[in-house]
Amino acid sequence: MEATLSIPFNKPYLTGKETHYIYQAVQSGKISGDGMFTKKCHTFFEERFGFKKCLLTTSCTDALEMAAILLNIEPGDEVILPSYTFVSTANAFVLRGAKLVFADSQEGNPNMDVASIEALITPKTKAIVPVHYAGIACDMDAIMDLANSYNLFVVEDAAQAIDAYYTGRDGQRKPLGSIGHLAAFSFHETKNIMSGEGGMLLINDAQFANRAEVIREKGTNRSAFFRGEIDKYGWVDMGSSFLPSDILAAFLFAQLESLSEIQARRKEIWETYHTAFQPLAKAGKLSLPQLPAYASNNAHMYYLVCASLAERTALIEVLKAAGIMAVFHYLSLHTSPFYANKHDGRHLPNTDFYSDCLLRLPMFYELSLEDQARIIEVIVRFYQP
Ligand SMILES: *Cc1c(COP(=O)(O)O)cnc(C)c1O
């Protein structure tokens, strides 16, 4: 009897040190937020990526909500963001009463079409929120130029963009997340480096640094108090509880120590897919991810772009029959049940195209060579029967 072993879309990888560090965190007796492992994670990010000020949060969603509070987003303000993104990018600003102004995706890349942004700016616009889809950079020079000309803030949704870079016109290679005024990362278990749930706010503009600490600590100046900068702490601003337990940071730190190894393997998997599908792409049967010259590849995701929704549905079925889980991604936010009647009615054809046609393939550290070969074979046979 032949068993069909199924290949999941994602499988969280454990480095082996997670439980060891969690044990240490528990033993230390300081298991609330901002303990030893949170500091280790912050230091890691500062040293490895040169990030200025990092604050671990319980999710990227929380980091985005902190960003919206820090920018003083109020009812009537407008925020420009892609429609092809996760709901958290949008919710953070909706919670503060902002009006969302959706930008279309580019042709040939799900990232927001930077050339379309200027026409969306009004006197009410307060922020632009680029999402680096699949860890592939948006054109940050162009976005920062607009922000500077119109006096807007930029919040990078870098949820998928750990260890990804942007090379600007000055020739400097900058890690994604380090360019906008603020940036949010995710360590959800579907991301390259994860702690189940988890996130981080990155503060690049120093004017937000102190207030970010306060907002993260329920609106109190507790962080400054523990550093001995003030002699008592109290309620000084609005805020919430955005900081994670040190147990979560202990898990994350184990992952960070293996970042290079995780990334090397993920890039191999990505390259194997990319090489295998070149003939199909050259024959015009499907499209593959395209990296602009300014973007590096962090191997967060491998996706195909089918010619139509019907074709994608058929391919998902064929893969499923072979025990392979491939999944589509975002449904356009501008046509969502929650936001369709608030959207200004503009048609966003590229966003809709990616909603219908983009398909993500299994991509995780422990994906075996044999399983990947099987996935490739099924897809090649689908297109060249
Ligand atoms: C994963 C993701 C988020 C949300 O991250 P959480 O840590 O789960 O809150 C937000 N934006 C994008 C683009 C994501 O991919």
Side-chain angles (χ1 to χ4, degrees):
M1 208 172 74
E2 203 182 321
T4 315
L5 295 172
S6 67
I7 305 174
F9 168 66
N10 180 53
K11 180 170 180 260
Y13 168 63
L14 298 175
T15 69
K17 283 198 181 165
E18 288 84 355
T19 44
H20 176 64
Y21 288 156
I22 287 171
Y23 183 82
Q24 279 186 18
V26 172
Q27 287 297 307
S28 79
K30 168 85 174 82
I31 53 180
S32 57
D34 283 332
M36 174 176 77
F37 282 103
T38 303
K39 291 193 183 81
K40 278 179 185 284
C41 290
H42 289 168
T43 304
F44 178 93
F45 285 114
E46 286 157 17
E47 287 175 356
R48 173 77 176 238
F49 298 111
F51 290 164
K52 283 196 196 119
K53 179 152 183 84
C54 311
L55 290 173
L56 289 193
T57 55
T58 46
S59 63
C60 178
T61 303
D62 271 357
L64 289 163
E65 286 178 23
M66 284 181 69
I69 296 172
L70 282 168
L71 299 185
N72 287 322
I73 300 291
E74 297 174 347
D77 290 343
E78 294 179 6
V79 173
I80 299 172
L81 74 168
S83 173
Y84 194 73
T85 185
F86 189 55
V87 291
S88 293
T89 324
N91 269 327
F93 298 94
V94 165
L95 281 166
R96 317 268 11 123
K99 176 175 181 242
L100 305 179
V101 178
F102 291 114
D104 201 3
S105 294
Q106 280 169 251
E107 234 175 89
N109 184 331
N111 281 340
M112 70 201 287
D113 181 3
V114 172
S116 76
I117 295 176
E118 190 161 17
L120 304 177
I121 296 173
T122 75
K124 292 178 177 169
T125 308
K126 199 105 177 244
I128 305 173
V129 187
V131 178
H132 305 295
Y133 185 76
I136 298 174
C138 295
D139 188 351
M140 290 308 294
D141 277 346
I143 291 171
M144 295 313 289
D145 283 352
L146 284 172
N148 291 334
S149 317
Y150 291 93
N151 206 13
L152 308 174
F153 291 113
V154 174
V155 180
E156 293 178 71
D157 182 336
Q160 305 174 12
I162 194 75
D163 195 37
Y165 294 82
Y166 172 78
T167 305
R169 66 172 90 86
D170 61 6
Q172 287 207 27
R173 193 164 171 268
K174 303 181 187 96
L176 295 186
S178 70
I179 305 165
H181 301 83
L182 298 165
F185 287 92
S186 174
F187 307 117
H188 184 263
E189 74 171 27
T190 50
K191 307 301 200 278
N192 294 28
I193 296 295
M194 59 92 196
S195 53
E197 303 281 351
M200 181 168 72
L201 179 71
L202 185 52
I203 298 113
N204 300 317
D205 184 335
Q207 68 167 305
F208 298 116
N210 289 335
R211 191 164 178 236
E213 285 186 348
V214 167
I215 288 167
R216 180 167 166 270
E217 273 278 25
K218 302 96 180 165
T220 72
N221 48 7
R222 193 166 183 264
S223 299
F225 173 73
F226 278 115
R227 282 197 301 266
E229 293 166 15
I230 47 175
D231 55 18
K232 56 176 186 265
Y233 81 84
W235 187 22
V236 295
D237 202 333
M238 67 164 81
S240 190
S241 188
F242 291 117
L243 76 172
S245 156
D246 216 49
I247 296 174
L248 200 68
F251 189 113
L252 182 65
F253 187 65
Q255 294 263 314
L256 290 174
E257 281 190 327
S258 295
L259 178 93
S260 300
E261 177 197 332
I262 291 170
Q263 287 298 87
R265 177 66 191 124
R266 291 186 73 104
K267 284 177 194 176
E268 256 173 33
I269 296 170
W270 198 99
E271 290 297 337
T272 301
Y273 276 137
H274 205 56
T275 306
F277 297 133
Q278 287 304 323
L280 294 178
K282 289 215 175 81
K285 307 238 180 197
L286 46 64
S287 306
L288 304 177
Q290 290 172 29
L291 270 82
Y294 52 73
S296 76
N297 176 26
N298 77 341
H300 171 60
M301 181 195 300
Y302 198 84
Y303 65 80
L304 307 174
V305 185
C306 301
S308 66
L309 174 60
E311 183 183 293
R312 184 181 72 179
T313 307
L315 178 54
I316 289 174
E317 282 309 310
V318 165
L319 285 162
K320 204 191 242 172
I324 299 161
M325 293 306 297
V327 291
F328 54 83
H329 214 180
Y330 305 127
L331 302 171
S332 307
L333 296 184
H334 71 287
T335 58
S336 62
F338 181 63
Y339 218 82
N341 64 355
K342 303 174 193 73
H343 175 61
D344 54 31
R346 279 172 304 112
H347 185 44
L348 305 176
N350 296 333
T351 301
D352 291 338
F353 173 71
Y354 288 111
S355 284
D356 286 348
C357 299
L358 187 144
L359 182 65
R360 296 176 293 159
L361 302 184
M363 174 85 205
F364 50 92
Y365 184 86
E366 289 171 289
L367 181 63
S368 69
L369 297 176
E370 299 73 29
D371 282 353
Q372 193 179 13
R374 228 173 90 201
I375 298 163
I376 291 167
E377 191 193 320
V378 171
I379 292 169
V380 170
R381 212 183 312 125
F382 176 85
Y383 283 104
Q384 290 178 334

